[in-house]
């Protein structure tokens, strides 16, 4: 019950009521007519306020952001952490006026801030590896679906404009992309450019790696990691810095290494989140991919834009071990860790 109303001074004090004074008949009639006039005016006002053409508030209008306007919490995932039965990050939300937009940031990008955010542990079923053009196409097509299922909900939770990359399997000695003509060789086992992911079978070096699907999967997941950067806005932000510094300048090359080493970390996250989950990504595949990372990097390619072999392996293993995207913030790392 509400508190008792205190005495209000404007109500006055109790007093003795005297008998009402007698009024003349004319005065009484005048009072009655005045009351009738007030009543009629009141009825007119009520009707006017309830006419059908009175504008109504838009039922879909929202003048304050709801809890759905901020990123939904993500399940941590990681080795031994099961995926939740329902992922709140995938629930539909009301679209904004302009729709999801990239965020052109680097170290302070929203997806890199939560220390507990990672990919859900999922089952990924891939066909058995066959060292043929058709076999590789079937393997990577299935892998792309697993990568879509892993990264799509994650990125959408941050209101980023996720769409799967287009997959291509060039068969010639070179292939055309929006980034130019790409020659197939040791350095082009897979290639990413502008929402397109290319996997030339001739660049996979199957004569050297043979039946090692974990190695091929890690390569593919690295290039897919560039798509994650593209969708998030990290790729555009990194290239802006590279162009400003000069592509072959020390600062430009360092920014390129940070970009590549983050894709390494994203690749490790994917394999770490899917190994031993009941699918076909086995512990043997994971171990082969783990060991293979030491064979790749600038020491092998004699370049300066991907990172040393040691750093190439270290960042991949960081993602694979923790499955925490904050551990993939290469843009915040000291220069000594991205050399």
């Amino acid at each position: 019950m509400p508190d008792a109303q205190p005495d209000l001074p404007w109500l006055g004090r109790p007093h003795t009521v005297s008998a009402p004074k007698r009024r003349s008949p004319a005065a009484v009639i005048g009072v009655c007519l005045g009351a009738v006039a007030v009543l009629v005016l009141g009825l007119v006002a009520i009707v006017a306020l309830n006419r059908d053409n009175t504008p109504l508030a838009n039922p879909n209008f929202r003048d304050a952001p709801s809890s759905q306007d901020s990123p939904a919490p993500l399940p941590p995932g990681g080795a031994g952490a099961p995926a939740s039965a329902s992922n709140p990050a995938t629930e539909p939300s009301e679209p904004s006026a302009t729709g999801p937009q990239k965020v052109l940031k680097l170290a302070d990008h929203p997806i890199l801030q939560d220390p507990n955010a990672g990919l859900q542990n999922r089952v990924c079923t891939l066909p058995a590896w066959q060292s043929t053009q058709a076999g590789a196409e079937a393997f990577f097509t299935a892998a792309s679906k697993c990568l879509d299922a892993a990264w799509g909900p994650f990125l959408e939770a941050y209101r980023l404009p996720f769409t799967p990359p287009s997959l291509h399997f060039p068969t010639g000695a070179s292939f055309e992309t929006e980034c130019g003509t790409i020659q197939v060789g040791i350095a082009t086992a897979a290639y990413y450019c502008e929402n397109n992911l290319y996997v030339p079978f001739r660049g996979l070096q199957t004569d050297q790696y043979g039946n090692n699907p974990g190695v091929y999967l890690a390569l593919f997941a690295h290039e897919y990691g560039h798509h994650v950067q593209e969708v998030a806005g990290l790729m555009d932000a990194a290239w802006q810095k590279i162009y400003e510094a000069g592509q072959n300048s020390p600062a430009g090359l360092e920014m390129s290494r940070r970009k590549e080493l983050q894709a390494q970390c994203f690749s490790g996250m994917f394999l770490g989140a899917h190994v031993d989950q009941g699918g076909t990504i086995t512990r043997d595949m994971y171990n082969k991919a783990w060991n293979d990372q030491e064979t790749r990097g600038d020491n092998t390619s004699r370049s300066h834009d991907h990172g040393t072999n040691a750093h190439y392996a270290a960042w991949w293993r960081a993602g694979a071990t923790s499955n925490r995207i904050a551990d993939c913030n290469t843009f915040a790392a000291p220069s000594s860790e991205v050399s």
Side-chain angles (χ1 to χ4, degrees), residues 15-20:
H15 59 280
T16 302
V17 179
S18 60

Side-chain angles (χ1 to χ4, degrees), residues 54-229:
T54 303
L56 298 175
N58 184 347
N60 296 321
F61 177 74
R62 201 178 57 188
D63 59 359
S66 71
S67 60
Q68 290 183 337
D69 288 323
S70 58
L74 295 170
S84 61
S86 62
N87 182 6
T90 62
E91 293 179 0
S93 62
E94 294 184 27
S96 66
T98 58
Q101 298 291 321
K102 293 181 180 181
V103 178
L104 272 61
K105 294 184 178 183
L106 294 173
D108 58 342
H109 196 283
I111 68 172
L112 301 175
Q113 305 312 305
D114 185 352
N116 295 316
L119 298 179
Q120 281 193 323
N121 299 132
R122 296 177 180 271
V123 174
C124 176
T125 302
L126 306 173
W129 176 260
Q130 296 180 23
S131 294
T132 63
Q133 177 74 33
E137 290 187 16
F139 181 86
F140 291 122
T141 298
S144 69
K145 301 301 182 185
C146 292
L147 284 153
D148 293 343
W151 284 110
F154 182 94
L155 295 167
E156 288 170 346
Y158 290 90
R159 307 299 180 254
L160 295 167
F162 175 77
T163 53
S166 298
L167 202 56
H168 308 274
F169 300 100
T171 58
S174 65
F175 54 94
E176 299 296 326
T177 75
E178 292 187 31
C179 302
T181 302
I182 307 301
Q183 301 295 325
V184 176
I186 295 175
T188 51
Y191 187 81
Y192 179 83
C193 173
E194 298 291 340
N195 299 306
N196 290 277
L197 209 167
Y198 303 86
V199 188
F201 176 72
R202 295 172 60 175
L204 293 173
Q205 297 176 274
T206 55
D207 55 340
Q208 176 180 346
Y209 293 102
N211 186 22
N212 274 309
V215 172
Y216 306 127
L217 181 60
L219 286 169
F220 186 74
H222 171 104
E223 297 304 324
Y224 196 102
H226 287 315
H227 184 64
V228 174
Q229 293 173 322

